[in-house]
Amino acid sequence: MACSVQLVARPKDPAVRTLLIERAAAMLRAREPITLRSLVAGTGVSTMAVYTHFDGMDGLWQALRQEGFTRLGARFTTVPESADPVRDLTTLCAAYLDHALTHPDLYRVMFDASVDLEDLPAADATLEHLVQAARRCQDAGRFRADVVPLDLAIQSWTVGHGLASLVATGPLPPETLGHGPVLLGALFTASGDDPDRCRASVERGWHHPAADDERPHPA
Amino acid sequence: MACSVQLVARPKDPAVRTLLIERAAAMLRAREPITLRSLVAGTGVSTMAVYTHFDGMDGLWQALRQEGFTRLGARFTTVPESADPVRDLTTLCAAYLDHALTHPDLYRVMFDASVDLEDLPAADATLEHLVQAARRCQDAGRFRADVVPLDLAIQSWTVGHGLASLVATGPLPPETLGHGPVLLGALFTASGDDPDRCRASVERGWHHPAADDERPHPA
DNA sequence: CTACATGCCATAACGCTGCTATGTTTAGCG
DNA sequence: CGCTAAACATAGCAGCGTTATGGCATGTAG
């Protein structure tokens, strides 16, 4: 497990950084406690690398948080645009929940600690996906004219995060996710969509064939 | 876990325990980092007290988590029953959010760490308040007959927790709470309530004069 | 080609954390 | 009164994140 890099000569900067983040994500997935020494153990790099690249463990957690939002954004990008924008908005919410529950530990890191206002842009970037989807719904005449896309995006995010958080942290069992279509359908219908049409769109968007959830990057 | 009965003669047992919990809650409110030595500093008791009463710091965090649910339950008890059950259900949700944002740090403790399955009953107890309120809504004929009170309670909890969590952890500003009536109204309307009547009930329940939020217990 | 300057990394140490081992005190009871 | 057991204080331990220091590589000017 010692040698993971093949080219010994390395410009040093970005390689070690991504290696540490990748390893931290792996340890998170394996539910191993992430400590400074256990993180660098086996990688050949020393504890100081964490300080040169992340300025300490707090910086590493923040980088890990941003990595979570980056992966979520990449996941969102794989969601195709169909002719039914309400379905697409639902698909985005379903992708959000799928991402949160496929990587529950990473998801917890994204929201556990107090957000340092450094990674708020990352959160906003992912929220922007929902905003655009909501805007397309409105442009298609599915929602009332007075519906603000940002508001609807926030409301959708609230529903998704509420479900994901309650399930990921433990209080509710995974079956709880079945309430997703009900909640989203209620929200979209209240926004002006036709009830029957909304139900059909949500149902299709919710059970959309999920694309592969990981980018093919890791070693 | 030897002592569970009260009359075994307990000279100093509960006093130190509640003192430590109270102090921990105070430090949490003051945003001071809670460490074993800083917790007992100034109290006159030693570090060992944490182990005799809570079996370590993990036990103290768990007790603090239960304390959060207990206070939330006490807060729910202060919500009076009116003639409008939908309004009451909304009031409960508003009380939930008020509790979460009046004590954001305590709220974070309640959901941050993985729930140890020891304090799940505490969460269920507070959820039960919502279940009963939902049942009264249905008994009053406001919701459809096929609406399961537990499901609606979970859905209401999801909305409340989604808002509370996103605001308490930082991603969204406090103004976001304004989406509460919209989300609850959408949910209740989708459950069968008359739209106009629902809007009125939710509006009244949301802006219900909030009772004092703390039980008069602390020293 | 040499000499300096810069940044990355490894080693060792510091202060703090939660925790445990040991001795002492106190309450309840035959 | 003497015994048992629980609660306490003290001291010490391994582990944590962090920092200070020195070696080594690279990039650039003379």
Side-chain angles (χ1 to χ4, degrees), chain B residues 15-24 26-27 32 35-50 53-54 60:
Chain B
V16 179
R17 187 185 161 92
T18 61
L19 178 132
L20 286 177
I21 286 189
E22 218 70 51
R23 171 157 172 82
M27 295 179 68
E32 303 169 5
T35 175
L36 174 63
R37 287 172 174 83
S38 70
L39 177 69
V40 301
T43 63
V45 304
S46 173
T47 62
M48 273 304 291
V50 178
H53 290 290
F54 302 100
L60 182 128

Side-chain angles (χ1 to χ4, degrees), chain A residues 41-77:
Chain A
T43 63
V45 305
S46 173
T47 62
M48 271 304 291
V50 178
Y51 286 83
T52 59
H53 290 288
F54 303 99
D55 198 47
M57 282 302 278
D58 284 358
L60 184 129
W61 287 111
Q62 178 178 332
L64 216 46
R65 212 149 40 220
Q66 287 213 10
E67 176 73 9
F69 280 107
T70 301
R71 293 189 181 186
L72 177 58
R75 178 82 164 79
F76 276 171
T77 314

Side-chain angles (χ1 to χ4, degrees), chain A:
Chain A
M1 201 57 181
C3 49
S4 56
V5 287
Q6 298 180 347
L7 323 173
V8 197
R10 187 69 67 167
K12 304 158 191 175
D13 214 13
V16 177
R17 187 185 162 93
T18 61
L19 179 129
L20 286 176
I21 286 189
E22 216 72 51
R23 173 160 170 81
M27 295 179 67
L28 212 61
R29 192 161 31 236
R31 286 188 157 68
E32 304 169 4
I34 295 185
T35 173
L36 173 64
R37 289 170 175 81
S38 70
L39 177 70
V40 300
T43 63
V45 305
S46 173
T47 62
M48 271 304 291
V50 178
Y51 286 83
T52 59
H53 290 288
F54 303 99
D55 198 47
M57 282 302 278
D58 284 358
L60 184 129
W61 287 111
Q62 178 178 332
L64 216 46
R65 212 149 40 220
Q66 287 213 10
E67 176 73 9
F69 280 107
T70 301
R71 293 189 181 186
L72 177 58
R75 178 82 164 79
F76 276 171
T77 314
T78 69
V79 173
E81 281 194 13
S82 75
D84 184 346
V86 174
R87 167 186 174 171
D88 294 348
L89 181 54
T90 306
T91 306
L92 284 178
C93 293
Y96 183 94
L97 280 163
D98 183 67
H99 172 86
L101 294 154
T102 311
H103 315 292
D105 310 279
L106 183 58
Y107 184 79
R108 233 174 310 185
V109 172
M110 289 163 68
F111 292 100
D112 256 17
S114 66
V115 194
D116 292 325
L117 293 97
E118 303 292 334
D119 34 24
L120 275 187
D124 283 346
T126 64
L127 177 62
E128 187 59 25
H129 281 89
L130 296 178
V131 174
Q132 288 177 6
R135 198 186 323 271
R136 286 198 299 123
C137 291
Q138 200 178 36
D139 292 343
R142 299 288 291 267
F143 294 160
R144 283 192 312 273
D146 64 320
V147 170
V148 180
L150 176 59
D151 286 350
L152 196 87
I154 289 179
Q155 289 156 10
S156 304
W157 189 15
T158 298
V159 168
H161 177 73
L163 281 176
S165 178
L166 284 178
V167 173
T169 59
L172 290 180
E175 306 91 77
T176 313
L177 300 181
H179 296 289
V182 180
L183 284 161
L184 290 181
L187 177 59
F188 299 156
T189 301
S191 301
D193 199 15
D194 172 75
D196 291 332
R197 197 179 176 188
C198 179
R199 191 169 7 254
S201 295
V202 167
E203 210 61 38
R204 261 183 299 169
W206 191 259
H207 299 108
H208 180 273
D212 47 348
D213 108 289
E214 283 289 346
R215 57 177 188 183
H217 177 272

Side-chain angles (χ1 to χ4, degrees), chain B residues 4 31 55 60 64 78 82 114 117 148 165 182 194 201 204 219:
Chain B
S4 56
R31 284 188 161 67
D55 199 43
L60 182 128
L64 215 47
T78 69
S82 75
S114 66
L117 291 98
V148 180
S165 178
V182 181
D194 173 74
S201 295
R204 260 180 301 168

